[in-house]
Amino acid sequence: MRLRPYGEDDRWLTAALEGDPDVMRYLGGPAPLGRVQQVHERRVGAAGGEWYRTILAGPDDAPAGVVAVFGTAWQGEQIPELGIMLLPGLRRRHGLAVGAIRLIVAEVRASGLVPRIHAFIGAANAAAAAVARRVGFVSAGPVDVDYEGVPIRCEHWLLDLGASPAELAG
Ligand SMILES: CC(C)(COP(=O)(O)OP(=O)(O)OC[C@H]1O[C@@H](n2cnc3c(N)ncnc32)[C@H](O)[C@@H]1OP(=O)(O)O)[C@@H](O)C(=O)NCCC(=O)NCCS
């Protein structure tokens, strides 16, 4: 498995992820078509300080999902937030999500731009919470997050990038 920068050709991947009711179950539900284009353009046009990566997996190195660290408005400031989505047929496979997050965290840490990463995970999203815990995120408690106008009860997770790489590999 490896990551590459999200690119112009990945619009279909954003459409497949954001349009899927199962992928979007804890993220406010499937996106309308217009939002897919918006999300795609934001990913392609991301400047320094944001990372949108396409996850490539399997013998044919095919796109399996998207992992990102991007700026979010939170309590009056811009914070770096982690997000990950795998195509529905590619879940529960050999730690793909954990591996992809470790790779992007290493990249973000190496940039020196970000002291810690936030994640907001739907309260019932057990798979995402398990993945966050495994890569070293620590829960900072429950919060209500507005996701595209839909209020979602979430748990707020934090990963301090001062943690040693050995901790993240555990
Ligand atoms: C979140 C996501 C990337 C996790 O990837 P995944 O391939 O499903 O997860 P894995 O198979 O690697 O499983 C990770 C852990 O979750 C557990 N798990 C997986 N599905 C689960 C479920 N439905 N209920 C409870 N635990 C579950 C696994 O047992 C594993 O636990 P372990 O680390 O203790 O062994 C994937 O489910 C996804 O794309 N979800 C839709 C988008 C989303 O919600 N993203 C998160 C937004 S922050």
Side-chain angles (χ1 to χ4, degrees):
M1 186 260 298
R2 67 187 180 90
L3 306 183
R4 67 153 164 75
Y6 180 92
E8 198 60 70
D9 291 346
D10 291 326
R11 188 188 181 287
W12 70 270
L13 183 59
T14 287
L17 294 167
E18 303 271 332
D20 185 277
D22 200 33
V23 173
M24 298 300 287
R25 174 166 303 163
Y26 305 109
L27 298 168
L33 268 184
R35 198 167 88 219
V36 167
Q37 184 60 25
Q38 251 181 316
V39 172
H40 171 67
E41 285 171 10
R42 176 168 182 194
R43 290 174 176 174
V44 171
E50 288 196 314
W51 296 258
Y52 288 98
R53 298 292 178 258
T54 299
I55 303 166
L56 303 175
D60 53 353
D61 226 16
V66 173
V67 64
V69 174
F70 53 94
T72 303
W74 172 249
Q75 296 181 337
E77 56 172 323
Q78 279 289 113
I79 57 160
E81 177 180 355
L82 174 83
I84 183 165
M85 294 177 174
L86 295 179
L87 289 169
L90 297 173
R91 301 223 197 123
R92 310 212 81 155
R93 295 232 184 143
H94 313 299
L96 203 53
V98 168
I101 293 171
R102 283 186 178 143
L103 287 177
I104 200 167
V105 164
E107 211 180 321
V108 172
R109 176 187 278 117
S111 78
L113 294 172
V114 167
R116 62 182 181 169
I117 300 176
H118 301 246
F120 298 94
I121 297 178
N125 193 349
V131 167
R133 193 174 291 111
R134 183 111 69 87
V135 298
F137 277 81
V138 172
S139 173
V143 284
D144 286 316
V145 171
D146 180 280
Y147 192 86
E148 304 289 346
V150 182
I152 299 181
R153 186 68 166 168
C154 287
E155 198 165 344
H156 182 191
W157 295 80
L158 291 168
L159 178 67
D160 185 349
L161 295 192
S164 75
E167 266 175 65
L168 292 170

